[in-house]
Amino acid sequence: MKKKGQLTVQRKTIYDIILNSTDHPTAADVIERLKEQGCNFAYGTVYNSLRYLTDSGMVQELKLEGDAARYDARVEDHQHIVCLKCGRVDEVFTEAPAEWIQAVAEETGYIIDKEQFLFKGVCAACRQTDRLSK
C-alpha cells in the first residue's frame, strides 16, 4: 500500500497530462485524455489526485470562467486571460504594477502575499473568424 503523500503512478500520469497541456484542462479533460492513453482511472482517483497535486503545489487550480476548475502546471507567478467567445485560456506574465498592490493594501489593510487577475477579451483567432464571416 502506498503512503498518502507519495507521488503514485496515477498522480504522476495525471501530472504529466497537465504538464504537457497548453489549454489548462478541466478534470473532465484530464479524464478524457487518460482514456485516450488507455488509462481507466476511477473518477475519484482523478479528483483526489488533482487535489493532491494542488495541495502539494505541483499544479495550480484555476477558478476562471464557468463552473469547472482548470489546472495549470506552471506554478510561477502569472495571470490568465480568457477569450469571451471560445473560452481559450492563455497565460500573462506581465507583472502587476507595484502601485496597484500598494493601493489595495492601503485600502483594505491587508498584507498582499499573492495576487490573481483574470483578464477577459476576444482572442486573435476569434477576431479573425469574425472578420471572415462578415
Side-chain angles (χ1 to χ4, degrees):
M1 184 154 105
K2 297 273 185 189
K3 289 184 185 175
K4 186 175 181 180
Q6 290 184 338
L7 188 61
T8 62
V9 171
Q10 293 88 347
R11 291 172 179 171
K12 173 76 167 100
T13 303
I14 292 166
Y15 175 71
D16 287 342
I17 286 173
I18 297 168
L19 184 65
N20 293 312
S21 297
T22 58
D23 63 344
H24 304 82
T26 64
D29 295 331
V30 170
I31 290 167
E32 186 62 34
R33 290 170 196 178
L34 285 166
K35 289 178 183 176
E36 289 170 3
Q37 292 181 8
C39 299
N40 193 18
F41 297 171
Y43 284 22
T45 299
V46 174
Y47 284 98
N48 289 335
S49 295
L50 290 169
R51 176 61 37 222
Y52 170 84
L53 294 169
T54 300
D55 290 347
S56 67
M58 295 177 70
V59 301
Q60 288 186 63
E61 181 181 46
L62 307 173
K63 303 283 189 175
L64 304 175
E65 294 296 299
D67 295 330
R70 293 175 171 260
Y71 296 89
D72 188 357
R74 296 192 77 167
V75 294
E76 68 272 23
D77 284 339
H78 66 285
Q79 311 307 322
H80 294 90
I81 188 165
V82 176
C83 179
L84 295 169
K85 289 201 167 227
C86 69
R88 174 184 168 149
V89 178
D90 286 307
E91 292 162 325
V92 177
F93 290 95
T94 303
E95 286 189 34
E99 58 270 11
W100 284 15
I101 306 304
Q102 182 62 33
V104 170
E106 288 174 6
E107 179 180 327
T108 63
Y110 280 66
I111 296 174
I112 309 291
D113 292 325
K114 181 177 173 140
E115 70 275 352
Q116 183 177 9
F117 300 105
L118 176 61
F119 299 95
K120 300 176 185 181
V122 178
C123 71
C126 287
R127 285 195 323 273
Q128 181 65 25
T129 301
D130 285 349
R131 275 185 246 147
L132 294 175
S133 65
K134 290 182 180 179

